[in-house]
Amino acid sequence: MVAAVLAFSLMDATAKALSPRIGIIPALWTRYAGQMILVLFLVRHRFPAVLKTRYPLLQLMRSLFLLCATWCFFIGISNIGLAEATAIMNINPILITIGAAVFLKEGLGPRRLIGIGIALIGALIIIRPGASVFSPYAIYPLVAAMFISGYNLATRFVGKDENIWTSLLYTGLFGTLVLSVMVVPNWTPPDATSIGLMILIVIFGTTSQLLLIQALSQGEAGLLAPFGYTGLIFATFWGVVFFAEFPDMWTIVGALVIASAGIYVWHRETFRRAKE
């Protein structure tokens, strides 16, 4: 899970650098089409078995959720700091906890409810609606967090019965088809630097999905979710190194509140299981 988050953070940093050069839709298309080409190459010896799925509608939903999440997040990181966007996005482990309780019956105790409330406060500290520094683009990572939570929960559900390569193949299918149509009128010929960044997005995006699917296939969604907070460290580091973006005090405070809430819930629930 930590390795998946690292790969995701590298993809996000690369997308932030690429989007201003060629546009958000071409950057999205690169992320999806590139992953599909690489996955098709990797599973070429597994056809046609890899196409068989017990959950065609859920696989479609997974792909749709991920497309919406990626789209919203790419818009966010193109307009606000990488650390700020990632901190807001990191409310998704709390949303996963709610969804895991509702849809996967993994349990939702009072401590988890307290953690959810605290995490929401942390997100509001970062977004600061009504303040002079508020940016409407800060809403996009929040919406992305909702979609990525749905994607993670669906992945957790199908992961029990589906081959990891089948899930990886269907992950990018819908997004690739939709974006392949949309990219035509929005295409900008890339220069050498842009091509290099496009290749990196493909590598990081595919690696992150493969690692995430593997993690969610082997562990409870609610248990794994807090490890996603390592993305706060990675995003802050890449933001400082590559974009000279230094998060302000309130972003750091909000991020710590969100992370503390998630870690508290994870610690208490793990302790409870150990006693049982």
Side-chain angles (χ1 to χ4, degrees):
M1 186 66 173
V2 174
V5 174
L6 173 61
F8 272 120
S9 71
L10 286 167
M11 182 190 72
D12 294 338
T14 306
K16 183 177 178 65
L18 179 63
S19 295
R21 304 178 70 93
I22 65 173
I24 290 178
I25 292 179
L28 279 167
W29 176 81
T30 299
R31 182 253 183 276
Y32 274 87
Q35 177 177 316
M36 282 301 298
I37 293 173
L38 185 55
V39 170
L40 286 173
F41 174 77
L42 293 174
V43 302
R44 66 190 186 281
H45 298 305
R46 303 170 184 264
F47 277 100
V50 74
L51 293 172
K52 296 179 181 178
T53 174
R54 296 179 57 183
Y55 308 102
L57 291 179
L58 272 178
Q59 291 288 11
L60 175 61
M61 286 179 61
R62 286 181 62 254
S63 190
L64 177 60
F65 286 155
L66 185 62
L67 172 60
C68 293
T70 309
W71 198 324
C72 289
F73 193 67
F74 273 26
I75 294 174
I77 61 176
S78 297
N79 293 278
I80 64 175
L82 191 59
E84 286 82 354
T86 302
I88 297 169
M89 181 72 161
N90 266 268
I91 198 173
N92 86 83
I94 296 296
L95 300 178
I96 290 172
T97 300
I98 299 174
V102 174
F103 299 108
L104 302 181
K105 310 301 180 184
E106 291 186 2
L108 182 62
R111 293 185 180 87
R112 288 190 176 186
L113 290 173
I114 293 173
I116 290 167
I118 294 174
L120 289 173
I121 292 173
L124 290 175
I125 290 174
I126 298 169
I127 298 173
R128 280 165 280 177
S132 59
V133 296
F134 169 74
S135 169
Y137 289 108
I139 302 298
Y140 283 94
L142 186 60
V143 176
M146 297 178 185
F147 281 118
I148 203 67
S149 299
Y151 166 77
N152 284 339
L153 290 167
T155 298
R156 167 65 178 159
F157 184 84
V158 303
K160 302 172 184 176
D161 304 305
E162 296 278 65
N163 183 286
I164 185 174
W165 291 105
T166 298
S167 291
L168 187 60
L169 177 64
Y170 281 104
T171 293
L173 184 59
F174 180 78
T176 301
L177 294 175
V178 172
L179 291 169
S180 293
V181 175
M182 297 183 65
V183 76
V184 176
N186 293 280
W187 181 253
T188 299
D191 57 18
T193 301
S194 298
I195 291 174
L197 292 171
M198 293 166 77
I199 293 172
L200 287 177
I201 280 186
V202 173
I203 295 173
F204 293 142
T206 304
T207 302
S208 62
Q209 288 302 319
L210 187 61
L211 291 169
L212 180 62
I213 291 171
Q214 186 69 23
L216 291 172
S217 297
Q218 297 184 19
E220 276 194 11
L223 181 63
L224 289 173
F227 291 99
Y229 292 121
T230 55
L232 292 169
I233 301 172
F234 299 141
T236 301
F237 181 77
W238 304 137
V240 171
V241 172
F242 296 125
F243 306 104
E245 295 175 348
F246 294 86
D248 62 18
M249 181 188 69
W250 290 112
T251 297
I252 295 173
V253 170
L256 289 174
V257 170
I258 293 172
S260 298
I263 293 172
Y264 167 74
V265 171
W266 168 74
H267 171 73
R268 293 302 305 178
E269 293 299 323
T270 302
F271 180 72
R272 178 180 60 81
R273 288 193 188 97
K275 290 181 63 177
E276 294 174 352

